[in-house]
Amino acid sequence: MTRELRFAANWKLHLGPVEARTYMQTFRARYRRHEHRDVWFFPPAVSLEAAAQAVRERDDLWVGAQDIYWEPKGAFTGAVSAPLAAEAGAKATLVGHSERRHIFGETDDDTRKKVAAALAAGLAPVLCVGETLAERESGHTQAVVNRQLAGALGGMDGAKLAQVTIAYEPVWAIGTGRNATPQDAAAIHREIRAWLAARGVARARVLYGGSVSLKNIAALLAEPELDGVLVGGASLDPATWAELVQTGAT
Ligand code: PGA
């Protein structure tokens, strides 16, 4: 079966609407469509519409939200709902990114409600899971990842589960310049796949994230367990990102 690769760019708190437009122009000039790869962009909420407009006739390029609130509307000052993100042009959303969990106090139960809200609004959820350094060093990586999977996805039927992309992002690797080795990532990816397979998902999509760069992308993608990557820092420059997403393309 042909390998499908997904490259996801998490811009975090960078690139407003004006910069987002310029970024997309540069990116599109440097990246022509490649079969069997898609590229997803997660701009800040205020740049969703500008970014989505800039790629609207390219179905290999998707724009998504970095976070959504689970209620569709109401008195929730500061929140963005899944239907509103969709209206602005989002086709996907991150859920449970480690910065949401660790800085903003998001719980496993919150991630469950967000995944459900995303699916209900037709957004493809990208559920982020991963352990802290202390959890890894005390041998709890798998238990933490399984708890996060069960917290967000437990009880969901196989057809819905199959629509969820998982991003394995060890917290100690995010923004630190210290990536997991391809072998370490692969071991966790196998466990994630097994967790999903036990619930009826035959072909799960599992991305790796954490200090992915031009220096390590080829080695990471050489590991067949990786279905792609979720990238923060190295996605902020459109020329670098265009080069990164063409790694290994013929
Ligand atoms: P990084 O971030 O590539 O800058 O480590 C990854 C992420 O947080 O998704």
Side-chain angles (χ1 to χ4, degrees):
M1 207 175 294
T2 314
R3 189 181 187 196
E4 304 279 337
L5 287 176
R6 176 160 301 154
F7 295 82
N10 177 8
W11 292 355
K12 307 192 180 182
L13 190 42
H14 300 282
L15 305 177
V18 175
E19 289 170 308
R21 264 183 229 108
T22 318
Y23 176 113
M24 287 302 196
Q25 258 172 14
T26 308
F27 179 80
R28 292 186 50 170
R30 287 166 188 254
Y31 179 72
R32 289 183 210 306
R33 175 192 305 268
H34 286 279
E35 286 289 296
H36 310 297
R37 334 195 137 198
D38 51 34
V39 187
W40 290 11
F41 297 88
F42 295 91
V46 293
S47 303
L48 268 176
E49 193 170 4
Q53 285 290 327
V55 297
R56 68 184 176 285
E57 74 290 2
R58 285 276 301 264
D59 62 10
D60 60 323
L61 309 180
W62 279 27
V63 166
Q66 294 176 9
D67 181 43
I68 49 156
Y69 190 57
W70 53 82
E71 293 290 347
K73 60 181 165 187
F76 304 103
T77 301
V80 174
S81 67
L84 290 189
E87 193 180 327
K91 295 182 179 170
T93 183
L94 300 181
V95 175
H97 187 277
S98 77
E99 286 146 22
R100 299 298 319 168
R101 294 177 191 265
H102 296 287
I103 301 174
F104 297 100
E106 192 161 301
T107 65
D108 289 333
D109 200 49
D110 293 344
T111 64
R112 183 180 58 76
K113 291 187 268 195
K114 290 181 179 190
V115 169
L119 290 170
L123 299 181
V126 179
L127 176 70
C128 305
V129 297
E131 80 289 2
T132 63
L133 188 57
E135 289 162 345
R136 168 162 286 251
E137 286 176 344
S138 57
H140 292 129
T141 299
Q142 202 51 58
V144 169
V145 169
N146 283 349
R147 191 207 73 222
Q148 292 169 333
L149 291 172
L153 308 176
M156 190 175 279
D157 69 56
K160 281 192 175 151
L161 273 182
Q163 298 174 50
V164 181
T165 298
I166 309 292
Y168 168 56
E169 298 205 303
V171 179
W172 49 269
I174 295 178
T176 58
R178 183 180 163 206
N179 61 290
T181 65
Q183 296 71 27
D184 279 349
I188 309 299
H189 283 215
R190 268 190 286 276
E191 299 284 349
I192 293 171
R193 247 181 256 290
W195 193 95
L196 288 162
R199 287 156 185 84
V201 180
R203 271 196 92 194
R205 270 297 181 126
V206 189
L207 315 182
Y208 165 76
S211 294
V212 175
S213 69
L214 277 178
K215 288 203 180 74
N216 57 29
I217 182 69
L220 284 164
L221 291 183
E223 169 51 62
E225 273 294 330
L226 272 64
D227 297 313
V229 285
L230 175 58
V231 183
S235 74
L236 292 179
D237 172 61
T240 304
W241 180 238
E243 191 178 338
L244 197 150
V245 303
Q246 289 175 88
T247 305
T250 44

